[in-house]
Amino acid sequence: MVTRADITLVQSLFDKKGRREHGLFVVEGRKAVGEALASGWTVERVYTTGAATDHPGVPVTEVSPAQFERLSRLKSPQGVLALVRIPEQSTPHFDPGRLYIALDSVQDPGNLGTIIRIADWFGIDGIVCSIDTADRFNPKVVQATMGSLFRVPVRYGDLAGLLQAARDTGLPVYGAMLGGENIYTARLRPSGVIVMGNEGNGISPGIIELLGHRLTIPSFAPAGEGAESLNVAVSAAVIVSEFHRRTGQ
């Protein structure tokens, strides 16, 4: 049976401060919870409105639909929610010969979650985020990843310092920005770091200085017509797809 303490704990995890205090985050939905259980990450508890399924070592609490509504933040809850232990973060770094995405102050949780899912689909070796990028354990991020969070390494750190270190090892640093070279004709290598910037301001000036290659997705709309820009997650998908198409990796 769910208790008032359970409800208070779950609700506190929708806030970053609460996640830091308890070292836990919320995963909702049948697919996402299933991914968490299969991932090797530590699942502390599962709440469900259905018949409890045995998961060795994981306590399962059956709750009523009315009780579950107090646990969930989804408009259409699926009746299953898990509390997962936040793992220790390893030191972020860029290894030679691999392809990464770097996020410079990406603020929207939905965008971050979608980019993590894109990275999973295209086999990106990892995502490194600036400290002020959205929290990967924000429930909206977790929901948008559809389980990809458990497969894609996502780390936070001093992005400028990490990109400088990447350049020092000869790893190419690419940046998506207006006025760059056409992504469809630019010379691309199978390894490197692809930097995506903030939704409103793009890549910050300090990071721009570290770019070795500036890339632009050209618009094919008639001159003066069409959208002003692309969403950062959409841009990431286009650019990563072109890297794989062109390099055969």
Side-chain angles (χ1 to χ4, degrees):
M1 179 178 177
V2 69
T3 67
R4 184 182 297 275
D6 290 321
I7 294 171
T8 299
L9 171 61
V10 173
Q11 290 179 346
S12 75
L13 301 180
F14 291 107
D15 181 77
K16 188 174 183 178
K17 180 180 178 181
R19 292 192 293 274
R20 285 179 172 174
E21 179 182 347
H22 297 286
L24 298 168
F25 68 100
V26 173
V27 178
E28 283 202 64
R30 287 182 291 273
K31 175 174 171 52
V33 171
E35 295 274 11
L37 290 165
S39 68
W41 293 36
T42 302
V43 179
E44 297 285 351
R45 180 172 293 277
V46 172
Y47 298 94
T48 178
T49 57
T53 303
D54 183 40
H55 299 291
V58 180
V60 179
T61 300
E62 291 186 56
V63 300
S64 69
Q67 290 172 326
F68 195 85
E69 286 185 3
R70 299 185 65 187
L71 297 173
S72 175
R73 287 284 181 92
L74 298 181
K75 291 182 179 179
S76 301
Q78 295 183 17
V80 60
L81 178 152
L83 304 186
V84 182
R85 178 66 52 187
I86 294 175
E88 291 291 329
Q89 175 181 279
S90 58
T91 303
H93 61 279
F94 297 115
D95 290 328
R98 298 182 179 276
L99 185 62
Y100 298 90
I101 293 174
L103 302 180
D104 181 20
S105 190
V106 170
Q107 299 292 298
D108 184 87
N111 283 335
L112 175 56
T114 302
I115 291 171
I116 293 171
R117 193 174 179 186
I118 289 165
D120 189 20
W121 180 263
F122 285 102
I124 297 300
D125 292 292
I127 298 174
V128 174
C129 307
S130 62
I131 296 298
D132 58 348
T133 290
D135 178 17
R136 63 173 169 154
F137 299 118
N138 180 304
K140 293 181 180 178
V141 175
V142 177
Q143 194 69 24
T145 72
M146 294 295 288
S148 293
L149 176 67
F150 301 107
R151 289 184 291 272
V152 178
V154 181
R155 301 179 178 92
Y156 293 74
D158 172 16
L159 190 56
L162 291 164
L163 291 176
Q164 183 62 63
R167 290 190 54 159
D168 291 344
T169 64
L171 194 63
V173 177
Y174 302 88
M177 57 188 300
L178 296 175
E181 191 175 355
N182 186 328
I183 180 69
Y184 300 115
T185 57
R187 183 170 178 262
L188 306 177
R189 288 170 54 182
S191 61
V193 184
I194 303 168
V195 182
M196 308 300 300
N198 174 268
E199 291 87 345
N201 301 316
I203 300 174
S204 58
I207 299 298
I208 289 176
E209 293 178 3
L210 298 171
L211 301 179
H213 312 271
R214 303 181 185 187
L215 302 174
T216 293
I217 302 169
S219 171
F220 293 94
E225 300 180 23
E228 181 179 320
S229 63
L230 289 175
N231 168 277
V232 63
V234 172
S235 296
V238 172
I239 291 173
V240 171
S241 176
E242 184 64 9
F243 264 82
H244 282 290
R245 188 188 74 82
R246 295 270 301 285
T247 64
Q249 299 295 315

